[in-house]
Amino acid sequence: MPGQSALTSALSKGQPTRVDSDSSSPPNGSAAAALACAKTDSCPRGSFPCLYVHEHDRQPLDPIKFDDEDRATTHEPAARFIADGADEFEPASYRRGSVDFGRTSVDGRSSLDGGSQAMRWAKLGSPAMASSFMGPESVGSLPKGLPPDERARLSASTPMTPSLQILSSMPPESVSARTKEARRLRRRLLKSTVLVFIVAGYEGKRFIYERAKELNIRIVIIDEADSWSRQLLEEGVIERFIPFDFSDQETVFDRCMAVMRRIEKDEGQIDGVLSFWELSQALVSRLAEALGLPGNPPSAVDAAREKQQTRAVMAQAGLASPKNILIHSPADLPAAAAHVGFPSVLKPITGAASLGVIRVDDQQHLESIYHKVCREVGSLKVDPKTGDFAHPEGNDKLSNDTSIVREGDGSAFVAQTFMLETYLDGPEVDVDIVFNQGSCVYGAITDNWPTIEPYFNETGSNCPSILPMQNQRELCELAVNTVAALGFQAGVFHVEGKATSHGAHIIEVNARMGGGPVRDINRLVWGVDLVEEALLAAAGIPSCPYLSPYPMRNIAEYSVNAETTGTLQHLDFLQPWQSKPDVLYCRPLVKAGEHVTSVKDGLPTWVYEMMVSRPDIHEAIDYVKSIEQQVQIPIA
């Protein structure tokens, strides 16, 4: 049947055929053709409850109240969803009265041994793998993606895993339905699968591996020898930790393939390979392709990773995109200014966490900011032991090419190709999306609060969104259509966008689950665990999340930046808020005694983060902001 995926064909015929997540892509791979395949009703009611909660009466959403057993007492469908068991594996971190998010308790101490350990600092930053900072030159050293026909041939010739063999004998609707029973079947199919994770990420991502363990997945992590994730083996969370040297990126793919073959020999057939770490996505996509495993084509991942390519794909598909141009050296600045105009935004073409992103307002400002950012970003040394970014004392190294400058100790300096694009005004949002067989099966929108300019450092967010419904719909539709145009077929995607004065616009597409509070927000508000959805996609198991038709909670969260530059004296200032009933967590992001920076002196430092839940979303927003205003951070 034309247009059917390999999975759909296998399920309908009951024949054991290997799943190829790219098999339904248009033969020419064009963005316009991909978009045409996915554009029909891109935000359906069942997948985007956030767009339909007001539909019947067009009045503000009724407050959702919770009794002592954490059961909704209003919004009967949501109450039924919770009472029916929104999550049979629900970890303690999501139960009212226990806010042990990611195994780090609200009192700032690890819960692993009753709180006697020092806190496992979940700082935003890099994992213990300096060389995983994959810029254009390192991605260029990886193999190119295969043509669609060769990709399909390789996938079809790869023996099916046991879980997919079972899947092929089931009626499609029994697994792909948006029901509790179908979700239970999907979880059974995940049981005992072998999933290989390439780089564990920073320690704040520990909850990912604990969730995979709860789902009875056999977890293998490939990471640097000194990665924190090695301790997961000692704790019995993972089955195997394989130390790996990523420093020689010219050979990293071949050596990683050899490790994957060794895992197959020792552990049995691999069901999937994945990563929740942004800088590993290019490598993961190529490993999956070469092994015939489920995954998205490297071309889609590369286009999402490089912002200028994303813009080109969007333009080809006829999607709204701001003016932009690449800057390789100071000589490019005049032409870039003339093409884009002002105000505009200067940003590295690859990267994460707003590193090096800054607003510029005129030609003179562009000249000065460009050189400043080159010096600052160029001197950000990635420590090979901790993975943290740091400015080496007295280092003023400046590089204007696309290469990461490497030192003898294995550390690296950040690459220096930038893009200048039109500044987008208006409120910013995150659209979290789950794709299955080329269609969106879940999406939710979260409002991001104004960033700290000119560096665009994040502050806070709320969910559900309080934007006008028309703005929400436009942003969700553009996000879904952009993911489709890039060529993605399955997985979890974090899309950042803005509701500007001239319509919806996309800032960037992340080819993985969002970091920070993203998983918590989607799980608490809509009942969808994005970690679980990503695991299903990696194993080639179809997904259609069982979700609440109404928000189960109204969430607001705040990441507080340093107001002054200096040394954080102590953490006692957070204690009064950590036992409040509506505060889900209030925890530091830096240690006492660490140096912090305010916006007037450079990229500001996140000092602490908090999340609250209230019966009404506006109450939640006001409450978390009132806490931020009352807290006095002891910086000297």
Side-chain angles (χ1 to χ4, degrees), residues 107 571-580 586:
D107 64 1
L571 300 176
D572 297 343
F573 66 99
L574 294 178
Q575 289 181 357
W577 304 101
Q578 292 172 338
S579 59
K580 299 290 184 181
C586 187

Side-chain angles (χ1 to χ4, degrees), residues 108-159:
R109 295 173 297 179
S110 170
S111 64
L112 293 178
D113 58 0
S116 63
Q117 294 184 3
M119 175 179 179
R120 297 179 183 277
W121 299 98
K123 293 175 62 177
L124 295 175
S126 303
M129 190 180 101
S131 52
S132 72
F133 198 91
M134 287 192 170
E137 82 299 329
S138 56
V139 172
S141 70
L142 297 174
K144 295 188 181 298
L146 299 174
D149 56 346
E150 187 175 348
R151 179 183 172 90
R153 180 195 58 76
L154 179 61
S155 180
S157 65
T158 303

Side-chain angles (χ1 to χ4, degrees), residues 75-256:
H75 284 328
E76 184 59 26
R80 256 196 328 269
F81 173 79
I82 300 172
D84 284 347
D87 195 339
E88 291 95 335
F89 296 96
E90 182 174 325
S93 60
Y94 291 106
R95 296 181 188 134
R96 193 173 181 79
S98 176
V99 285
D100 184 21
F101 283 78
R103 281 279 186 97
T104 302
S105 61
V106 292
D107 64 1
R109 295 173 297 179
S110 170
S111 64
L112 293 178
D113 58 0
S116 63
Q117 294 184 3
M119 175 179 179
R120 297 179 183 277
W121 299 98
K123 293 175 62 177
L124 295 175
S126 303
M129 190 180 101
S131 52
S132 72
F133 198 91
M134 287 192 170
E137 82 299 329
S138 56
V139 172
S141 70
L142 297 174
K144 295 188 181 298
L146 299 174
D149 56 346
E150 187 175 348
R151 179 183 172 90
R153 180 195 58 76
L154 179 61
S155 180
S157 65
T158 303
M160 293 186 75
T161 61
S163 63
L164 293 185
Q165 289 180 29
I166 297 172
L167 177 64
S168 68
S169 65
M170 296 179 176
E173 63 276 6
S174 68
V175 181
S176 301
R178 198 183 300 279
T179 63
K180 181 174 56 177
E181 292 74 19
R183 185 188 58 191
R184 189 175 295 117
L185 284 176
R186 294 192 288 267
R187 287 174 172 169
R188 287 177 182 171
L189 289 168
L190 268 179
K191 186 176 181 180
S192 298
T193 55
V194 177
L195 295 184
V196 180
F197 294 79
I198 308 297
V199 183
Y202 55 84
E203 191 166 357
K205 293 184 182 291
R206 151 186 288 274
F207 65 88
I208 293 168
Y209 310 103
E210 293 174 339
R211 180 56 172 161
K213 175 65 173 179
E214 289 171 337
L215 291 166
N216 298 299
I217 291 170
R218 297 168 60 197
I219 307 165
V220 179
I221 292 179
I222 301 176
D223 208 337
E224 290 282 347
D226 56 358
S227 168
W228 68 272
S229 59
R230 182 188 287 269
Q231 65 189 330
L232 295 175
L233 181 63
E234 302 167 2
E235 296 166 8
V237 176
I238 66 176
E239 291 211 358
R240 191 168 180 183
F241 176 88
I242 300 178
F244 189 87
D245 179 9
F246 288 85
S247 60
D248 183 1
Q249 294 186 356
E250 291 293 329
T251 64
V252 68
F253 174 79
D254 291 335
R255 290 186 294 111
C256 209

Side-chain angles (χ1 to χ4, degrees), residues 266-318:
D266 297 342
E267 306 293 337
Q269 193 170 5
I270 296 172
D271 292 82
V273 55
L274 73 162
S275 180
F276 286 79
W277 180 241
E278 174 68 23
L279 305 176
S280 299
Q281 300 305 319
L283 177 58
V284 165
S285 67
R286 286 154 171 87
L287 290 172
E289 182 177 72
L291 292 166
L293 296 172
N296 289 296
S299 58
V301 175
D302 295 349
R305 283 280 301 137
E306 188 170 321
K307 296 175 177 66
Q308 200 269 345
Q309 283 192 42
T310 303
R311 298 300 188 215
V313 170
M314 294 178 68
Q316 182 187 1

Side-chain angles (χ1 to χ4, degrees), residues 254-566:
D254 291 335
R255 290 186 294 111
C256 209
M257 276 292 292
V259 172
M260 298 291 282
R261 295 300 187 192
R262 192 166 75 242
I263 294 171
E264 286 184 320
K265 182 178 179 181
D266 297 342
E267 306 293 337
Q269 193 170 5
I270 296 172
D271 292 82
V273 55
L274 73 162
S275 180
F276 286 79
W277 180 241
E278 174 68 23
L279 305 176
S280 299
Q281 300 305 319
L283 177 58
V284 165
S285 67
R286 286 154 171 87
L287 290 172
E289 182 177 72
L291 292 166
L293 296 172
N296 289 296
S299 58
V301 175
D302 295 349
R305 283 280 301 137
E306 188 170 321
K307 296 175 177 66
Q308 200 269 345
Q309 283 192 42
T310 303
R311 298 300 188 215
V313 170
M314 294 178 68
Q316 182 187 1
L319 301 174
S321 182
K323 286 184 179 180
N324 63 87
I325 193 170
L326 290 181
I327 298 175
H328 299 283
S329 73
D332 297 332
L333 295 177
H339 177 72
V340 175
F342 299 100
S344 54
V345 178
L346 184 70
K347 58 178 72 175
I349 60 172
T350 59
S354 300
L355 180 65
V357 179
I358 191 165
R359 170 176 167 158
V360 292
D361 295 313
D362 54 46
Q363 178 74 41
Q364 183 178 0
H365 192 202
L366 174 61
E367 297 275 351
S368 62
I369 287 298
Y370 173 77
H371 290 290
K372 178 182 178 181
V373 173
C374 278
R375 284 192 297 272
E376 288 188 351
V377 177
S379 65
L380 280 175
K381 195 172 184 179
V382 189
D383 188 281
K385 299 293 184 184
T386 66
D388 290 338
F389 294 116
H391 290 275
E393 186 69 22
N395 191 317
D396 59 353
K397 195 167 189 66
L398 177 65
S399 170
N400 287 319
D401 58 27
T402 59
S403 299
I404 292 178
V405 181
R406 301 205 172 277
E407 298 295 302
D409 61 1
S411 60
F413 290 95
V414 179
Q416 301 266 316
T417 297
F418 293 89
M419 182 175 73
L420 188 72
E421 75 172 12
T422 303
Y423 172 78
L424 300 175
D425 62 2
E428 182 176 326
V429 303
D430 292 336
V431 185
D432 295 298
I433 291 172
V434 177
F435 259 45
N436 178 59
Q437 299 183 57
S439 297
C440 184
V441 292
Y442 169 72
I445 189 167
T446 299
D447 296 337
N448 286 333
W449 299 348
T451 55
I452 296 181
E453 294 189 9
Y455 295 96
F456 299 97
N457 223 32
E458 297 170 1
T459 54
S461 65
N462 61 267
C463 187
S465 172
I466 60 173
L467 287 177
M469 194 57 66
Q470 182 61 30
N471 291 132
Q472 293 187 47
R473 176 168 291 280
E474 290 174 355
L475 286 160
C476 288
E477 288 178 347
L478 182 58
V480 171
N481 291 333
T482 300
V483 171
L486 288 168
F488 289 108
Q489 290 292 304
V492 176
F493 307 94
H494 183 69
V495 184
E496 299 171 19
K498 275 194 170 186
T500 76
S501 57
H502 47 282
H505 278 280
I506 297 301
I507 299 173
E508 66 180 15
V509 175
N510 297 284
R512 40 83 186 168
M513 183 186 78
V518 167
R519 188 255 190 158
D520 299 341
I521 289 172
N522 283 270
R523 176 68 186 86
L524 291 169
V525 178
W526 301 110
V528 175
D529 187 347
L530 297 179
V531 171
E532 182 175 330
E533 299 307 316
L535 298 174
L536 288 168
I541 299 170
S543 174
C544 192
Y546 178 59
L547 50 84
S548 174
Y550 289 97
M552 298 188 297
R553 294 184 188 235
N554 296 283
I555 297 293
E557 61 87 22
Y558 211 135
S559 297
V560 181
N561 293 265
E563 294 183 355
T564 60
T565 298

Side-chain angles (χ1 to χ4, degrees), residues 560-565 596-600 605 607 628-629 631-633 635:
V560 181
N561 293 265
E563 294 183 355
T564 60
T565 298
V596 296
T597 304
S598 69
V599 66
K600 68 179 182 180
T605 304
V607 179
E628 187 271 339
Q629 292 170 2
V631 170
Q632 299 295 317
I633 305 175
I635 299 173

